[in-house]
Amino acid sequence: MNPTVARLTLRGLLGRRRGILLLVVPALLLLVSAIAAGSSGDRHDLAVKILGQLGLGTLLPILGLVVGTGAIATEIDDGSIVYLLAKPLPRWKIITTKLAVAVGTTWVFAAVPTLLAGLLLYGTRDGLALGYTVATLVAGAAYSALFLLLGVVTRHAVVAGLAYALVWESLIGNFVEGARTLSIQQWGLSVGRAVAGDGAITADVGLGVAVPLLLALTAAATVLAAVKLAGLTLATEE
């Protein structure tokens, strides 16, 4: 962690427009949960739909995309990344610091509201709230790493991220069973299922597959982002 890089990254993420957008996600989740808590529907079914489909399946990828790409893509686009590249800092340290800030921000704006929404909807029964919170934590870290990498390798990071989150996971994943094996959402659900009580959370990927893939994706994305940023340094110097 480099304090200067962390401070600049956090300032960029919590700027006026992006900061407001980050607040919309937890506010929406908590609002929907509060309304659902007052309904007469099946509480477990409501919790699964709101925490799983809305929270983990839709809002978390969007939040991760905003945070992951915003941690570096904006600086590359406007050229301000040169300020950091001119410093005697290892490029991997810039990436790991930005990733740590992105993961922490995602956890604050996604995992904490998920826990509160889960407790509001279902209390502590079956460990459901805790399970979805843990799922959000691990999936949020993986999303942050993937979208940070996209922010380094392409100027169309938002489009590429939306294509993965909405087209691959939400659309193709719902119709092609094999596609779910390469779904961060399903990996997170698998870990959440292991934490929650029996039958509280369902997932289409086994824990023995989900955990290695989560670790491999996060590590590979971090390394590739560092390598790509080093190449960007060379291009800038030339």
Side-chain angles (χ1 to χ4, degrees):
M1 285 286 292
N2 181 276
T4 301
V5 176
R7 185 175 64 255
L8 292 174
T9 303
L10 190 60
R11 183 185 301 172
L13 288 176
L14 300 181
R16 181 178 299 177
R17 287 166 49 183
R18 187 174 284 111
I20 293 175
L21 182 59
L22 292 180
L23 288 173
V24 169
V25 172
L28 178 60
L29 181 63
L30 290 173
L31 176 62
V32 172
S33 299
I35 295 174
S39 70
S40 58
D42 181 83
R43 285 303 181 91
H44 181 270
D45 186 52
L46 284 173
V48 169
K49 288 182 178 179
I50 293 174
L51 300 180
Q53 297 177 15
L54 177 61
L56 184 64
T58 303
L59 297 181
L60 177 61
I62 293 175
L63 181 66
L65 181 62
V66 171
V67 173
T69 57
I72 196 168
T74 304
E75 295 179 51
I76 293 177
D77 290 341
D78 63 19
S80 60
I81 190 69
V82 174
Y83 170 80
L84 291 179
L85 299 181
K87 300 294 181 180
L89 288 173
R91 301 309 173 238
W92 64 264
K93 185 173 288 189
I94 295 175
I95 291 297
T96 54
T97 300
K98 286 183 173 293
L99 177 59
V101 173
V103 170
T105 303
T106 302
W107 285 354
V108 169
F109 287 96
V112 174
T114 295
L115 178 60
L116 295 176
L119 293 175
L120 183 64
L121 284 166
Y122 206 64
T124 58
R125 286 173 291 172
D126 301 326
L128 187 73
L130 179 61
Y132 275 113
T133 300
V134 172
T136 301
L137 288 173
V138 296
Y143 278 126
S144 296
L146 175 61
F147 296 144
L148 180 69
L149 171 63
L150 292 178
V152 177
V153 302
T154 176
R155 291 184 177 274
H156 305 289
V158 174
V159 175
L162 287 174
Y164 171 77
L166 299 182
V167 177
W168 179 265
E169 288 196 339
S170 299
L171 182 60
I172 297 178
N174 286 332
F175 296 99
V176 182
E177 186 174 350
R180 298 169 193 167
T181 304
L182 299 178
S183 168
I184 295 175
Q185 176 188 349
Q186 289 297 326
W187 302 344
L189 283 172
S190 179
V191 177
R193 179 180 59 187
V195 174
D198 293 339
I201 297 176
T202 59
D204 295 318
V205 179
L207 187 64
V209 174
V211 172
L213 287 176
L214 280 166
L215 295 174
L217 172 64
T218 304
T222 304
V223 171
L224 288 174
V227 171
K228 179 63 178 178
L229 188 63
L232 181 63
T233 304
L234 294 175
T236 302
E237 291 173 350
E238 292 173 357

